[in-house]
Amino acid sequence: MAEIDFLLVEQETEEKHTRRIKRPVCETIQWHGFFVQVHRIKEGWLYKPRHPYDYLKKQREQGISLWTDKCLDGILKGYSQPFPTVEFALFLLQNQPFREIMILNGTKENENDRLWTRNFLEGSFAQLNGLYLCGNIQAEEAFLEYMYRESGLLAVQTLKVPQADGKKCVYVDMNRNGTVDYKRIPQGCLYLDLTSSTEKQRCLALKRQDISYVSARNYLDTALKVRYNAV
């Protein structure tokens, strides 16, 4: 099974443009060490909204959750993008401008979420000078002590978004159930949205233009379109 599945709309020239619905073409590629299954569909699908919905439902029944092309947002209203694996989330973080302070925001976690959080922190804490666990994220005391012994990093657990120097701060949002507390986010910070929420993106674009917004889906969308447009 592919590590990432992406539903990509192929751009058509005016000469070849058609509204006929053709079956998706699936291709597995390697991208920065990840196996990506690209489900390519023609632009004609944009005129038949039922087809993308049915295709996504069929894939979900087979245990496959697809990231979707941004141009499908208008007809896939309310669709939730997959949550990235730890490896993909760390890749995204490492490919942003380095910020020495991390605010990790989340909600009440189950056992799988706690394991995800631990593995993410284990792969990212070494270079940090500040770490805030915001919301209801619960980290094991033994793991927090391990981070402190290894790097001197003392994690601060807080229910509210803390005040911090935004220019040194990355705000990592893994809150899949909530809205964005846009008033408290540090000025000028880097906002990495692992939930890929179009509502959060819209809110920040309107109310917090000082923030540099990056989402997992947007990053993947841009990268794959660049790859296929270059072919």
Side-chain angles (χ1 to χ4, degrees):
M1 183 179 293
E3 296 169 282
I4 297 171
D5 283 83
F6 190 88
L7 186 62
L8 177 71
V9 179
E10 285 190 320
Q11 301 297 311
E12 299 177 279
T13 63
E14 292 185 7
E15 295 79 8
K16 294 184 177 181
H17 184 69
T18 176
R19 295 194 179 191
R20 287 189 303 160
I21 302 299
K22 297 182 179 181
R23 293 177 61 83
V25 176
C26 294
E27 176 187 6
T28 301
I29 63 172
Q30 287 195 41
W31 175 75
H32 295 287
F34 298 97
F35 284 98
V36 182
Q37 179 86 344
V38 182
H39 304 240
R40 304 201 316 271
I41 59 176
K42 298 296 184 182
E43 281 187 285
W45 284 54
L46 298 176
Y47 302 99
K48 300 287 185 178
R50 191 70 252 168
H51 284 75
Y53 272 113
D54 290 345
Y55 187 73
L56 290 168
K57 180 180 178 181
K58 182 178 179 180
Q59 296 300 309
R60 187 179 291 113
E61 290 171 351
Q62 298 177 24
I64 300 172
S65 297
L66 279 85
W67 304 82
T68 61
D69 195 314
K70 285 174 65 175
C71 70
L72 289 168
D73 286 354
I75 60 177
L76 294 177
K77 294 180 180 179
Y79 179 74
S80 297
Q81 301 294 321
F83 195 77
T85 62
V86 171
E87 293 77 14
F88 186 31
L90 288 172
F91 169 82
L92 292 170
L93 179 64
Q94 291 161 5
N95 278 273
Q96 307 307 317
F98 175 70
R99 304 291 178 97
E100 62 188 62
I101 301 171
M102 179 191 293
I103 300 173
L104 186 60
N105 180 56
T107 52
K108 188 175 182 180
E109 302 171 297
N110 57 36
E111 187 61 34
N112 288 334
D113 289 336
R114 284 194 289 271
L115 180 60
W116 191 101
T117 301
R118 173 181 176 141
N119 290 338
F120 179 75
L121 288 174
E122 194 163 19
S124 59
F125 79 85
Q127 294 182 316
L128 295 177
N129 289 327
L131 173 62
Y132 296 91
L133 304 180
C134 187
N136 291 316
I137 293 178
Q138 297 295 321
E140 300 173 0
E141 288 296 328
F143 179 68
L144 297 181
E145 291 175 3
Y146 161 76
M147 286 197 304
Y148 182 72
R149 289 196 308 270
E150 291 293 314
S151 66
L153 180 65
L154 184 63
V156 177
Q157 293 188 299
T158 174
L159 292 177
K160 294 184 179 180
V161 179
Q163 293 184 346
D165 184 347
K167 294 180 180 179
K168 298 179 180 179
C169 180
V170 55
Y171 184 100
V172 181
D173 189 353
M174 52 180 285
N175 184 354
R176 285 169 279 189
N177 301 318
T179 56
V180 56
D181 188 3
Y182 69 90
K183 292 182 179 180
R184 295 187 62 90
I185 297 174
Q187 183 82 13
C189 77
L190 171 65
Y191 189 106
L192 179 56
D193 184 9
L194 298 182
T195 71
S196 300
S197 167
T198 54
E199 288 303 315
K200 292 177 183 177
Q201 181 178 3
R202 187 177 298 113
C203 174
L204 293 174
L206 288 173
K207 302 179 182 296
R208 292 297 306 271
Q209 296 182 14
D210 59 289
I211 291 174
S212 298
Y213 177 91
V214 179
S215 79
R217 193 283 299 269
N218 290 358
Y219 189 97
L220 191 58
D221 179 269
T222 299
L224 291 180
K225 285 179 178 176
V226 168
R227 179 189 177 102
Y228 277 90
N229 288 341
V231 174

